[in-house]
Amino acid sequence: MKKLISIFYDIRKDEWRSVLLMFVIHFILMVILYFLKPARDSLFLTSNGPEDLPYVYILLAVISIPVTHLLTGFMRRYPIRSVLIWTLGGLAVNILFIRWLFQYDMEWIFMTFYIWVGIFGILVISLFWILANAVFKPAQSKRVFPFLTLGAILGAIAGSEASSLIVSLIDLSTENLLYICVGLLILAMRLLFFIPKISTPESKLDANKKSTRISSPLKAAQKIVASRYQLTVAGIIGLTMMTTTFTDYQFKALAFDAYPETAGLTAFIGTFYAGVSLASLGIQVLLSSQIIKKMGLSGAILSRPVSMMIGAILMAVEPVLASIVILNGFDGATRYSIDKTGRELLFLPISQHTKEQTKIFIDIFVDRFSRGLGGVVLLGFIVVLNWSVYLLTYVVITLLIIWILLGIRAKKGYVNKFRSSIQKQLIGTDSMALNLNESTIYSIIKESLHSTSDSQVLHTLFLLKDSNVEKIAEDLRQLLDHQNSEIKLQALIMLQGVESLNLTGEIITLLQDEDPEIRLETIYYLCKHSHEDPTSIIKSYLAHNDYKLKSAALGCASKHRGSATDLVEPEFFDQLLDKKEKDAVVIRAQIADALGYIENDTIAHKYLSKLLNDEHPSVVRKAISSIGRQKSDRFIPLLIEKLKNPEFKIEIRKTLASYGTDYLILYKNRFFDRTLDKNIRKSIPGIFSHLPEQSTADQLFDMIDIQNTDLRYHVIKALNKLIRERPSLEMDIKKVRQTIKSEALHYFELLSIKQLQPPNRPNRPNRILLKALDEKMGQNVERLFRLLGLIYDPKDMYGTYLALQSLSTDKRSAAIEFLDNVLTEADRKYVFPIGDHQNERIKLTRGRQLFDIPEKRYDEGLHQLIEGEDLWLQVCAIYSVSPQCPDTLQAKVKKAVYSPNELIRETAELVMKRNAR
């Protein structure tokens, strides 16, 4: 049985028990409903006639209000499973009471029964689907819900056919069908005890101890109105019920004309429902999964109104009983098949807590209220306007058009809801200028500047960076004596722009401060606020006996004046560089910075080449920055070679990028140079990311074809940065999709090798290889989502990637559902098998189907890794070779002893010694 089901539905190993239980329960509930519906329709129509139908629709709406109120209260206090069990028990008692009333044969009894069955149908099905939403996660729902819907369809077929056969062939009255329903309700209640508890009621009870009032329909309505998405869903359900109110009336009025006797009408309606259910079965088994797979949610929620539109047009052209049967046939065939699946999928983006508060309201109150509203409108047309059954078809067509438009809107809202839940993981910050003229802001800033917490003071100074600080100049003045040198420096820098306050007498004392940056900014303050010429001030300090002040003056001239060529002689640099004092590093850093403004290319090259290899990082960074200002081609080989050191790669890449796009071909050629150090090659794409131009993107797409996945990662990363900086850049979508396919293939090849590893070999070398394979497959997934970010919204893809890495099953499920609705089929077929959290053997099976990956032996898998381009996998594969491995692998280890790569060579030597023991 499982194998047969698995042909059509993707039910996984750990899901079978809960899925089959829910399937059987749904089947039983629908059998009961389709026992009751023919009995209800025939008893009511023969007793009251179709002219009373609009009044019944209105009464249904009125009665649904207290039912919704009562049930919502229970949902707040008790687990959904318990609520469903108690509801079924109460309904069983109701049925026995109604059967007892039938003996009096009064019209109001049959009207009450009609209303009761209407409430029963929507009540038990709504509670069942709330339970299903709680039992299954969103990622499971897309797979499982169609199978549960199949249970409903089979139940409808069984119930319809059984009711028709029992009445026609067995000597059992329509009224006595109710006893069978009671027995089936008891069976469903018993099965529900085997469903595991979803949540405990304690938290709900604790929350309600604060208030004795239960949630009201008004509160549920407020929640729905406050959510545009939920309002759209409610609108779809409301329009659905209004439309079917008209078609239901048309069908029953014409059916009563054709079959005025109770038994004949029961048999006809039962046969009709059975036929519709068989059509539902065909749609569910043959079309439903394909429609959802190809068209997603849109196909699920629009199939019903579109197919009904065909029937309505036929009814308008040929107004006969057969036409309305076809119209209602389309309605019924899709109602409990693809449309039901689609409607339940609409609730997936809504949290379980919110669903418990609003879904009952929508499924019962909105459903019945809309049916009642439809009844009022229907009365207006048939009583006031005296429209015939056939003319009502034009109202149906109008309602269907609005329904279709709302369905399109719901699809957009559905995707946005998942997008919102995913992007909550992304946090962004923006800087802002503070308006100190606002009294509240002024008082808060003033208080924060005098805080005892250094971090709070620094944060406040950061916020003031782009603000006019004239009003707090006195507060900044007090910070010049602060013990924290960073606070003192930032206060000094801000005071440089305050013209209303001259603090030259106080600030000159900071020339003796231990912090060289404070000394530099002090000279700059003196230049700005002194009556003397700034150039003469700088020259005076350059001639000073104190080399700390000389270097500070040089740094000031470089940083603020823009050029120091005319202020110093070449020998001046040698004098400063020869100093071995405490502040020698600071002096060298200030010289390195000043050299960026030297117009003499020979001097600049001489000293910057030397300082580029200084032992202190701060000096090297200043030298790199100065090279960026000089832009001499003579420095390019030095900078590329320096990329070996990861400590300076950010600064070097920015500097190389500052040379402009004309140099990108040179950098690209170096990227493909296999003789170049790999760390240098990995850093080169980062140069491109600082030049957001179309020509840059085109060059990177030339580089994305590289086979080495580590190098390819950095190309993709550079493209991500470009598209983030300039979203208008044109991406080579064809090449992106080719690369996605290549990455997916690489993932499955690694997975196939991982599956070859013997499970009974938990030794350390084997564990290291397995871990390495997991890491590399994880990197594959990251590259896939970075590539998707070049086609789709980058934030969406980044948020989805983070959600898939999350430990939260809810986040992972939301991410899968989001991807299912956003990706095209071309991208989905490669990404989904990888992103879906399922058994790796199942993943590999799907990978083999996609790429025709051949079966390998264990030794062939290790051969592939050892011969591959990934250095770490080579090393781990060699390390995992044991004495029991085939001779071909032992030969590979012996050959690796002579590898030019030191890590491979040392690993091979270690394995040779270990295996010789």
Side-chain angles (χ1 to χ4, degrees):
M1 178 62 76
K2 287 183 179 179
K3 288 183 178 179
L4 179 62
I5 293 171
S6 297
I7 294 173
F8 300 100
Y9 300 98
D10 184 11
I11 311 298
R12 296 174 186 173
K13 186 176 180 182
D14 56 342
E15 298 170 344
W16 279 105
R17 182 176 180 273
S18 56
V19 168
L20 289 176
L21 271 172
M22 293 292 285
F23 176 91
V24 173
I25 291 168
H26 205 193
F27 173 84
I28 292 171
L29 293 177
M30 292 301 290
V31 167
I32 297 168
L33 180 60
Y34 276 82
F35 259 57
L36 293 170
K37 286 179 75 173
R40 173 200 68 175
D41 292 345
S42 61
L43 288 170
F44 176 81
L45 290 172
T46 54
S47 173
N48 298 64
E51 61 272 6
D52 284 346
L53 280 171
Y55 300 102
V56 172
Y57 300 149
I58 296 167
L59 283 171
L60 263 172
V62 174
I63 294 171
S64 68
I65 296 174
V67 172
T68 305
H69 183 85
L70 184 64
L71 202 59
T72 305
F74 279 125
M75 292 286 292
R76 279 175 56 85
R77 288 169 167 77
Y78 306 106
I80 177 60
R81 189 191 68 161
S82 301
V83 173
L84 183 52
I85 291 170
W86 297 339
T87 301
L88 295 183
L91 292 171
V93 174
N94 285 175
I95 290 177
L96 291 173
F97 179 66
I98 290 170
R99 177 62 190 89
W100 176 76
L101 286 175
F102 278 166
Q103 63 184 316
Y104 296 104
D105 195 22
M106 299 173 70
E107 286 188 4
W108 70 266
I109 294 173
F110 297 111
M111 181 175 284
T112 301
F113 180 52
Y114 194 104
I115 294 169
W116 183 89
V117 173
I119 294 293
F120 173 92
I122 197 67
L123 191 65
V124 296
I125 301 304
S126 177
L127 288 173
F128 172 83
W129 283 108
I130 291 177
L131 177 64
N133 270 270
V135 171
F136 304 109
K137 302 295 181 186
Q140 295 175 294
S141 302
K142 274 263 178 97
R143 297 181 289 100
V144 171
F145 281 9
F147 182 62
L148 298 185
T149 304
L150 176 65
I153 294 168
L154 293 175
I157 294 171
S160 302
E161 286 292 339
S163 65
S164 180
L165 289 172
I166 289 170
V167 172
S168 300
L169 304 178
I170 301 174
D171 189 19
L172 185 72
S173 67
T174 299
E175 293 87 342
N176 288 330
L177 290 174
L178 272 63
Y179 290 122
I180 300 174
C181 296
V182 173
L184 291 172
L185 279 171
I186 293 170
L187 176 60
M189 289 169 62
R190 184 75 187 94
L191 290 174
L192 279 168
F193 282 102
F194 293 98
I195 299 290
K197 288 186 177 181
I198 308 305
S199 61
T200 56
E202 285 79 3
S203 60
K204 295 182 180 181
L205 288 169
D206 290 343
N208 281 282
K209 285 179 182 177
K210 299 177 182 178
S211 173
T212 58
R213 292 183 298 175
I214 60 177
S215 178
S216 67
L218 179 60
K219 290 181 180 177
Q222 288 171 343
K223 274 186 171 288
I224 292 166
V225 172
S227 167
R228 184 177 179 181
Y229 177 71
Q230 288 194 79
L231 192 60
T232 303
V233 174
I236 289 174
I237 292 172
L239 269 173
T240 301
M241 293 315 299
M242 285 191 68
T243 307
T244 54
T245 297
F246 279 80
T247 58
D248 186 61
Y249 172 79
Q250 289 177 299
F251 172 75
K252 287 172 182 173
L254 294 174
F256 178 69
D257 288 342
Y259 300 93
E261 298 297 326
T262 303
L265 189 57
T266 301
F268 169 74
I269 292 175
T271 303
F272 172 77
Y273 286 147
V276 165
S277 299
L278 283 170
S280 291
L281 177 63
I283 290 172
Q284 188 65 13
V285 173
L286 301 176
L287 300 176
S288 183
S289 296
Q290 291 301 315
I291 289 173
I292 292 175
K293 184 177 179 181
K294 298 290 184 183
M295 301 176 64
L297 183 71
S298 298
I301 61 177
L302 294 178
S303 293
R304 186 179 176 190
V306 169
S307 62
M308 286 180 68
M309 180 67 80
I310 296 170
I313 293 171
L314 183 61
M315 179 69 180
V317 173
E318 194 68 33
V320 294
L321 175 61
S323 297
I324 194 64
V325 168
I326 292 171
L327 171 56
N328 268 33
F330 278 133
D331 177 27
T334 53
R335 179 183 301 180
Y336 292 112
S337 57
I338 189 168
D339 181 68
K340 186 61 181 175
T341 302
R343 280 172 63 170
E344 295 308 321
L345 288 174
L346 282 173
F347 286 96
L348 289 182
I350 304 169
S351 70
Q352 183 65 20
H353 175 67
T354 303
K355 269 186 279 203
E356 289 179 0
Q357 291 181 314
T358 60
K359 192 175 188 297
I360 284 290
F361 180 86
I362 292 173
D363 281 349
I364 297 179
F365 180 79
V366 173
D367 183 289
R368 295 299 107 178
F369 174 79
S370 301
R371 171 74 59 135
L373 180 60
V376 173
V377 177
L378 181 59
L379 270 177
F381 280 109
I382 62 177
V383 176
V384 179
L385 298 178
N386 198 28
W387 278 31
S388 67
V389 170
Y390 308 112
L391 286 176
L392 294 176
T393 306
Y394 296 102
V395 180
V396 171
I397 290 173
T398 303
L399 292 172
L400 285 170
I401 291 170
I402 302 171
W403 181 356
I404 290 168
L405 293 174
L406 271 183
I408 295 169
R409 177 176 170 180
K411 166 62 189 298
K412 293 178 181 177
Y414 179 83
V415 173
N416 288 334
K417 286 287 285 185
F418 277 112
R419 175 180 286 122
S420 175
S421 68
I422 288 168
Q423 289 192 352
K424 283 178 182 176
Q425 302 176 86
L426 305 175
I427 301 173
T429 56
D430 296 308
S431 60
M432 60 178 184
L434 300 176
N435 183 4
L436 296 178
N437 290 321
E438 293 184 18
S439 58
T440 305
I441 295 177
Y442 172 71
S443 59
I444 292 172
I445 292 295
K446 193 174 179 69
E447 182 181 343
S448 299
L449 288 175
H450 294 281
S451 171
T452 55
S453 168
D454 287 3
S455 59
Q456 185 176 346
V457 176
L458 278 171
H459 180 66
T460 305
L461 290 169
F462 171 77
L463 291 175
L464 290 166
K465 193 172 183 181
D466 298 321
S467 306
N468 186 340
V469 295
E470 291 273 354
K471 200 170 181 180
I472 54 167
E474 189 57 42
D475 301 283
L476 294 173
R477 176 184 186 177
Q478 295 176 35
L479 294 178
L480 294 176
D481 296 325
H482 204 283
Q483 292 181 344
N484 187 306
S485 60
E486 184 62 26
I487 292 174
K488 191 188 301 185
L489 175 63
Q490 294 305 319
L492 175 58
I493 291 172
M494 287 186 180
L495 285 168
Q496 289 169 354
V498 177
E499 297 179 0
S500 60
L501 191 65
N502 192 329
L503 301 173
T504 304
E506 293 180 35
I507 286 179
I508 199 169
T509 60
L510 294 177
L511 288 172
Q512 304 306 315
D513 196 276
E514 291 297 315
D515 190 308
E517 283 295 320
I518 291 177
R519 295 198 296 265
L520 185 154
E521 295 299 339
T522 299
I523 292 177
Y524 184 61
Y525 183 93
L526 296 175
C527 288
K528 287 194 73 176
H529 291 267
S530 174
H531 297 297
E532 296 181 46
D533 177 50
T535 302
S536 62
I537 293 174
I538 290 176
K539 282 186 175 181
S540 67
Y541 285 110
L542 287 172
H544 205 283
N545 293 328
D546 188 337
Y547 282 94
K548 292 180 183 178
L549 295 183
K550 278 188 174 184
S551 63
L554 180 62
C556 180
S558 302
K559 183 175 181 179
H560 295 293
R561 191 171 179 272
S563 176
T565 307
D566 58 337
L567 301 179
V568 296
E569 298 296 329
E571 294 78 14
F572 180 82
F573 295 105
D574 290 319
Q575 293 174 6
L576 290 179
L577 290 173
D578 289 341
K579 295 297 174 184
K580 304 296 181 184
E581 298 176 2
K582 180 181 177 182
D583 287 339
V585 172
V586 177
I587 292 172
R588 294 202 303 275
Q590 290 177 338
I591 290 173
D593 188 57
L595 286 167
Y597 301 100
I598 297 295
E599 295 175 358
N600 188 317
D601 183 66
T602 303
I603 294 175
H605 185 266
K606 174 184 177 182
Y607 292 108
L608 283 175
S609 299
K610 181 179 179 181
L611 292 169
L612 192 59
N613 295 304
D614 195 274
E615 61 184 15
H616 202 277
S618 64
V619 178
V620 177
R621 287 192 173 90
K622 291 290 186 183
I624 294 168
S625 179
S626 287
I627 289 172
R629 291 194 294 272
Q630 289 285 340
K631 289 186 177 56
S632 170
D633 290 357
R634 300 167 68 185
F635 290 114
I636 290 178
L638 299 176
L639 289 173
I640 290 177
E641 187 63 26
K642 195 71 178 178
L643 280 171
K644 258 195 267 187
N645 191 334
E647 188 175 3
F648 307 112
K649 68 179 182 181
I650 294 174
E651 293 87 352
I652 293 173
R653 289 191 301 207
K654 284 182 180 179
T655 298
L656 287 170
S658 70
Y659 280 73
T661 55
D662 291 343
Y663 288 79
L664 292 180
I665 295 177
L666 168 64
Y667 304 148
K668 183 177 73 173
N669 292 336
R670 298 295 280 157
F671 175 76
F672 283 109
D673 185 354
R674 298 177 69 91
T675 63
L676 201 62
D677 184 276
K678 192 175 179 181
N679 287 324
I680 295 176
R681 295 173 71 193
K682 286 197 291 188
S683 293
I684 287 174
I687 302 169
F688 292 66
S689 65
H690 295 288
L691 293 166
E693 303 289 342
Q694 187 60 52
S695 60
T696 309
D698 295 340
Q699 296 285 359
L700 284 169
F701 276 113
D702 288 342
M703 297 159 64
I704 206 171
D705 292 328
I706 195 160
Q707 291 302 306
N708 187 291
T709 54
D710 283 345
L711 294 174
R712 189 192 301 160
Y713 167 78
H714 291 279
V715 176
I716 298 169
K717 191 175 178 182
L719 282 166
N720 290 142
K721 289 181 179 178
L722 284 185
I723 200 73
R724 190 166 61 243
E725 288 293 320
R726 286 271 303 278
S728 60
L729 291 177
E730 291 184 14
M731 297 290 108
D732 188 340
I733 303 299
K734 183 179 179 181
K735 185 161 280 190
V736 173
R737 288 203 161 104
Q738 288 173 349
T739 312
I740 287 174
K741 184 178 179 180
S742 174
E743 288 291 347
L745 172 60
H746 188 254
Y747 177 93
F748 287 116
E749 285 178 339
L750 293 180
L751 182 58
S752 69
I753 294 171
K754 182 185 176 184
Q755 291 298 311
L756 293 171
Q757 304 309 304
N760 57 349
R761 283 183 59 201
N763 54 70
R764 185 167 179 268
N766 190 247
R767 286 200 304 270
I768 291 173
L769 177 58
L770 287 172
K771 185 177 180 181
L773 287 168
D774 280 331
E775 288 173 352
K776 294 299 178 180
M777 288 191 295
Q779 291 167 10
N780 255 122
V781 174
E782 182 184 349
R783 289 194 296 272
L784 270 174
F785 277 90
R786 285 186 175 277
L787 286 164
L788 289 172
L790 301 177
I791 303 175
Y792 304 93
D793 187 290
K795 287 185 179 179
D796 285 350
M797 293 303 106
Y798 180 54
T800 305
Y801 171 73
L802 291 180
L804 286 173
Q805 307 309 308
S806 170
L807 296 176
S808 166
T809 55
D810 288 339
K811 287 182 180 178
R812 293 201 301 268
S813 297
I816 290 293
E817 182 62 21
F818 177 72
L819 286 175
D820 193 23
N821 284 275
V822 171
L823 301 188
T824 64
E825 178 61 26
D827 300 322
R828 195 161 50 225
K829 72 176 182 179
Y830 295 118
V831 176
F832 248 57
I834 295 172
D836 199 1
H837 284 258
Q838 56 183 330
N839 182 280
E840 287 189 341
R841 291 193 179 278
I842 297 173
K843 277 189 180 184
L844 182 56
T845 301
R846 296 177 71 179
R848 290 192 194 284
Q849 292 169 353
L850 275 173
F851 295 106
D852 196 24
I853 299 172
E855 297 277 355
K856 294 186 181 72
R857 298 192 310 272
Y858 173 74
D859 59 311
E860 289 176 334
L862 287 189
H863 267 290
Q864 185 175 332
L865 294 181
I866 294 171
E867 295 296 327
E869 288 203 15
D870 192 296
L871 175 62
W872 181 237
L873 286 180
Q874 284 180 297
V875 170
C876 293
I878 291 169
Y879 188 63
S880 71
V881 175
S882 68
Q884 292 77 35
C885 288
D887 291 341
T888 52
L889 286 177
Q890 306 294 347
K892 287 286 181 185
V893 175
K894 290 178 182 177
K895 183 180 177 182
V897 172
Y898 303 100
S899 170
N901 185 280
E902 184 179 359
L903 183 58
I904 292 176
R905 188 170 61 251
E906 290 179 355
T907 304
E909 290 170 353
L910 177 65
V911 171
M912 292 282 290
K913 290 178 183 177
R914 185 189 68 201
N915 292 349
R917 294 172 189 166

